[in-house]
Amino acid sequence: MNPHQDEPIYLPTAFHSRQQQHNLLHAWGGWNGYLKPEAYTDIELEYFAIRSTTAVFDLSPMNKYRVTGPDAEAFLNRVLTRDVAKIKNGRVGYCIWCDDAGQVMDDGTLFHLGDNDYRLCSYTRAYEWLYWSSLGFDVAIEDETGTVAALAVQGPTSCTVLTAMGVTGLESLKPFGILEVSFQGQTLTVSRTGFTGDLGYELWIDTSAGEALWDALFAAGEPYLIKAIGTEALEIARIEAGFLQAGVDFVPAETAVRRGCTRSPFELGLGWLVDFDKPRFNGRKALLAERDAGSRYRYVMLDVDGNKPAHHSFILQHGKVVGTVTSAAWCPTAKTNLAFAQLELPADASLTGLVAEIYYERELRWNKVLAPCVAIDRAPFDPPRRRQTPAPAL
């Protein structure tokens, strides 16, 4: 008999006791060693909570690293591709970091919390790499993943709900801004950030106050039909908003096993996050060479004909396979069949004549569809309320 057979494989987050009450489907998965809800009741209802009312997603398993010390800015400028000095105090910046070959290790958000005080949030674990890279810099790096609880509060009534909970100052908080307020003796950090492409906020607090924060939030949000959501609903929303996901749309360079499976920032459509005005940063030499010589792959968003999502489909051009789909979804609000694809085409090649080779199963029978695709320049969902300041109070 195994004495450890009843021990949980995944750790509970600070909100787990409350999630159990909402998760009628008992649909659980794992994220970074923590237990996460895949869905609570109905994926479609959870998705429409994001777009119609207020949706709450547990962000606690995200890796969170506090970087402090006299060389904090210089160190982060060395490991990130964008100019960290341009992310002012009280602001959040979207960032990527690369290995020496210029291949993306991960993307994430950098919070400038104070003088020489930053928090880097990432999907994949990066503590060891950050620690090794800090050699020669006067910095301290602390893994806050287990001590900082986080909730994403997203949707058109999210500002109204947080205001009803007692959060003041939201009316002047701009996108990617940070606000600190007091909550039951703890510092509650509110950032106007999210992964849904909608109006929304993320709440960051010590894990000891996690249950109290959940209770206060849901009490304030009850009149506004607040709803807990899982990763399945969030997946639809992030695709509709045009956001990439590590491990889905690209293989993090540090975890790749096979050569050629990783991607550079240019190949992911993230070249705007590479600042060559900085003298040194990881992968700079390789990225300069790629900029001059051209990239092997191109990232494109495709509007796919029909309503069959092009999951894991090949992309054809004039009958020849030129790429694959990494993410796909029928987007209910945008009414678009959207797909993200990696194409092995020259940068100056035409994006006309693209076709998705889609396979889907109905009643034990597999069907094949050749669906025409049109490359689009921007995500189909981008509402004005996402940037409106003050945020709309509904």
Side-chain angles (χ1 to χ4, degrees):
M1 180 176 180
N2 185 353
H4 304 294
Q5 64 182 2
D6 294 328
E7 293 184 3
I9 298 175
Y10 297 111
L11 298 172
T13 72
F15 308 110
H16 182 66
S17 63
R18 302 308 190 256
Q19 291 172 328
Q20 283 182 308
Q21 299 170 16
H22 289 260
N23 196 345
L24 303 183
L25 296 177
H26 301 286
W28 300 94
W31 176 16
N32 193 29
Y34 288 86
L35 202 59
K36 63 161 183 164
E38 301 287 357
Y40 287 90
T41 54
D42 182 277
I43 295 171
E44 290 186 1
L45 292 179
E46 291 173 30
Y47 162 81
F48 280 108
I50 303 172
R51 297 295 184 233
S52 304
T53 58
T54 296
V56 179
F57 179 78
D58 185 2
L59 282 176
S60 301
M62 179 179 289
N63 291 286
K64 300 175 284 286
Y65 304 113
R66 196 67 168 264
V67 181
T68 57
D71 292 341
E73 180 185 299
F75 165 66
L76 289 166
N77 247 336
R78 179 65 175 81
V79 295
L80 305 179
T81 61
R82 71 178 295 176
D83 189 351
V84 173
K86 294 180 180 179
I87 304 174
K88 302 302 182 183
N89 201 335
R91 301 288 295 168
V92 184
Y94 177 47
C95 301
I96 56 173
W97 45 103
C98 297
D99 63 10
D100 290 342
Q103 302 298 287
V104 176
M105 299 177 68
D106 201 358
D107 64 341
T109 46
L110 182 66
F111 291 68
H112 193 169
L113 300 174
D115 293 340
N116 301 313
D117 187 0
Y118 297 84
R119 176 183 290 142
L120 181 64
C121 297
S122 67
Y123 182 80
T124 60
R125 181 172 175 82
Y127 179 79
E128 290 80 7
W129 177 75
L130 290 171
Y131 181 79
W132 298 330
S133 300
S134 69
L135 182 65
F137 291 93
D138 188 1
V139 294
I141 302 171
E142 178 186 358
D143 188 345
E144 295 184 322
T145 305
T147 58
V148 175
L151 290 175
V153 183
Q154 306 282 303
T157 61
S158 56
C159 180
T160 303
V161 169
L162 289 175
T163 300
M165 195 183 78
V167 178
T168 57
L170 287 179
E171 65 279 356
S172 59
L173 188 64
K174 297 179 180 179
F176 294 98
I178 299 172
L179 174 70
E180 288 190 346
V181 297
S182 177
F183 177 81
Q184 298 192 6
Q186 296 281 354
T187 298
L188 172 64
T189 301
V190 182
S191 58
R192 191 168 169 180
T193 50
F195 202 46
T196 64
D198 215 313
L199 172 65
Y201 304 85
E202 292 174 341
L203 312 183
W204 313 81
I205 200 166
D206 188 271
T207 52
S208 63
E211 292 180 348
L213 176 62
W214 181 287
D215 293 343
L217 179 63
F218 275 78
E222 185 176 4
Y224 303 97
L225 303 179
I226 193 171
K227 184 179 289 292
I229 68 165
T231 54
E232 296 288 345
L234 182 65
E235 178 74 357
I236 301 172
R238 72 96 183 165
I239 293 173
E240 189 172 48
F243 294 150
L244 300 179
Q245 174 66 66
V248 178
D249 297 301
F250 65 92
V251 179
E254 196 171 38
T255 62
V257 176
R258 297 172 178 84
R259 186 184 299 274
C261 291
T262 58
R263 298 291 181 264
S264 75
F266 301 117
E267 293 172 335
L268 293 175
L270 299 176
W272 61 278
L273 286 172
V274 180
D275 192 338
F276 287 117
D277 291 335
K278 295 197 304 180
R280 296 181 183 87
F281 60 86
N282 267 36
R284 187 177 191 274
K285 183 177 179 181
L287 291 172
L288 273 172
E290 181 181 345
R291 184 192 66 177
D292 296 339
S295 303
R296 180 180 175 186
Y297 291 92
R298 296 172 67 183
Y299 165 79
V300 295
M301 284 188 289
L302 299 173
D303 185 346
V304 183
D305 188 52
N307 61 3
K308 298 294 186 296
H311 297 300
H312 313 295
S313 297
F314 288 113
I315 299 298
L316 312 177
Q317 187 179 50
H318 309 308
K320 178 184 177 182
V321 175
V322 294
T324 55
V325 170
T326 58
S327 287
W330 167 256
C331 302
T333 303
K335 299 296 186 292
T336 302
N337 193 13
L338 187 62
F340 302 164
Q342 289 286 306
L343 305 182
E344 196 169 356
L345 289 174
D348 57 352
S350 168
L351 292 176
T352 60
L354 298 177
V355 174
E357 185 177 291
I358 304 172
Y359 293 86
Y360 67 96
E361 184 265 336
R362 290 291 184 274
E363 296 182 337
L364 303 181
R365 179 177 177 178
W366 281 94
N367 301 274
K368 175 182 175 180
V369 172
L370 295 177
C373 304
V374 176
I376 55 179
D377 295 330
R378 55 186 300 176
F381 183 79
D382 188 19
R385 63 177 178 254
R386 177 182 176 184
R387 290 172 295 277
Q388 186 178 335
T389 304
L394 303 175

